[in-house]
């Protein structure tokens, strides 16, 4: 998987800071994966996918 795919999935689950806290890693680790500075290993990808997606808020009239 690519850095772009990782970032897209992370954005569905929260901010870099929120996801990092849930995964027990630093925000910098998340950022490096998203920029391609660090490879996204299979374990990191699966851990990210295991997190629940954030619900979208519906717009009220």
């Amino acid at each position: 998987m690519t850095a772009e795919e990782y970032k897209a999935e992370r954005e569905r689950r929260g901010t870099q800071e929120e996801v990092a806290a849930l995964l027990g890693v630093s925000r910098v680790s998340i950022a490096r994966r998203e920029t391609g500075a660090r490879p996204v290993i299979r374990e990191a990808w699966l851990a990210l996918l295991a997190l629940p997606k954030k619900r979208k808020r519906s717009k009220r009239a």
Side-chain angles (χ1 to χ4, degrees):
M1 109 257 348
T2 66
E4 293 82 16
E5 291 170 325
Y6 186 87
K7 182 176 181 177
E9 286 298 329
R10 190 271 306 156
E11 288 175 337
R12 291 182 184 107
R13 288 159 174 81
T15 65
Q16 286 182 348
E17 196 166 298
E18 291 168 337
V19 169
L22 291 169
L23 295 177
V25 299
S26 71
R27 187 203 58 79
V28 173
S29 293
I30 301 295
R32 288 180 178 158
R33 291 176 189 151
E34 292 181 3
T35 62
R38 299 277 302 183
V40 181
I41 60 173
R42 183 172 174 82
E43 290 85 356
W45 179 245
L46 293 173
L48 178 65
L49 293 179
L51 298 177
K53 293 181 183 176
K54 289 216 168 191
R55 294 183 183 192
K56 293 184 180 180
R57 292 185 175 178
S58 60
K59 294 182 180 179
R60 294 187 176 186

